[in-house]
């Protein structure tokens, strides 16, 4: 993965995430510069990554192609022993959405290489306390942005 330009990094940082755990609880992450509290009481580990195979090379693709790409990415991850759950990346207003995968049990360098092989510019890494950072294998971008919010029933 090559370094991210400022415009692309800003677009990534503007991403919200939606996650519904096995118990039906909904978790939302919004971009923020505030300090995060503790990680939510969800069924995800304290640290994991978020990756997608949608719109490789930042070029919009038809939904059927994106779904196929994510199925291939999931299969590649599972073949490497990764644990995988569904998560959604979206714009604040919901006009843009990408099905994504919460992933753990695979080394970060392997995940970044796999994301690059699927045409992705970067991945998110959620670290202890629920904070997220943006990584793309060559550098880390703004390690303080992103906080998981509110727990609400679906």
């Amino acid at each position: 993965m090559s370094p991210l330009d400022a415009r692309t990094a800003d677009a990534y940082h503007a991403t919200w995430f939606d996650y519904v755990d096995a118990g039906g609880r909904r978790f939302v992450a919004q971009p923020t510069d505030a300090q995060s509290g503790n990680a939510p009481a969800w069924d995800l580990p304290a640290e994991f990554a978020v990756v997608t195979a949608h719109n490789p090379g930042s070029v919009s693709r038809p939904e059927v192609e994106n779904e196929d790409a994510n199925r291939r990415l999931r299969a590649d991850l599972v073949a490497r022993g990764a644990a995988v759950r569904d998560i959604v990346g979206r714009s604040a207003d919901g006009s843009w959405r990408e099905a994504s995968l919460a992933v753990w049990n695979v080394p970060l360098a392997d995940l970044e290489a796999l994301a690059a092989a699927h045409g992705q510019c970067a991945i998110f890494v959620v670290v202890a306390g629920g904070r997220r950072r943006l990584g793309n294998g060559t550098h880390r971008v703004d390690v303080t942005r992103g906080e998981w919010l509110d727990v609400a029933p679906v």
Side-chain angles (χ1 to χ4, degrees):
M1 294 178 183
S2 60
L4 296 175
D5 61 70
R7 184 172 154 243
T8 303
D10 285 346
Y12 273 84
H13 283 302
T15 301
W16 290 54
F17 289 108
D18 294 328
Y19 175 69
V20 178
D21 75 3
R25 294 170 296 184
R26 181 170 182 244
F27 301 86
V28 177
Q30 75 170 3
T32 180
D33 292 322
Q35 288 296 328
S36 177
N38 295 325
W42 51 21
D43 61 356
L44 293 170
E47 297 188 9
F48 61 94
V50 177
V51 64
T52 187
H54 275 224
N55 303 319
S58 297
V59 176
S60 292
R61 305 275 196 244
E63 188 60 25
V64 67
E65 289 181 27
N66 284 327
E67 289 170 0
D68 287 345
N70 255 13
R71 275 192 286 279
R72 289 189 302 274
L73 174 59
R74 181 186 295 269
D76 287 347
L77 289 163
V78 170
R80 286 167 175 75
V84 180
R85 297 275 171 78
D86 293 323
I87 197 166
V88 175
R90 66 172 173 89
S91 61
D93 66 4
S95 62
W96 162 83
R97 299 177 67 80
E98 286 187 359
S100 301
L101 304 169
V103 180
W104 62 99
N105 289 345
V106 63
L108 182 58
D110 292 353
L111 184 55
E112 288 172 333
L114 189 55
H118 283 267
Q120 300 305 300
C121 298
I123 64 171
F124 283 94
V125 178
V126 178
V127 296
R131 300 295 298 179
R132 70 181 187 197
R133 64 180 167 83
L134 189 58
N136 78 345
T138 59
H139 69 289
R140 303 287 179 238
V141 182
D142 195 352
V143 298
T144 62
R145 293 176 74 177
E147 179 179 16
W148 288 92
L149 298 174
D150 205 38
V151 179
V154 175

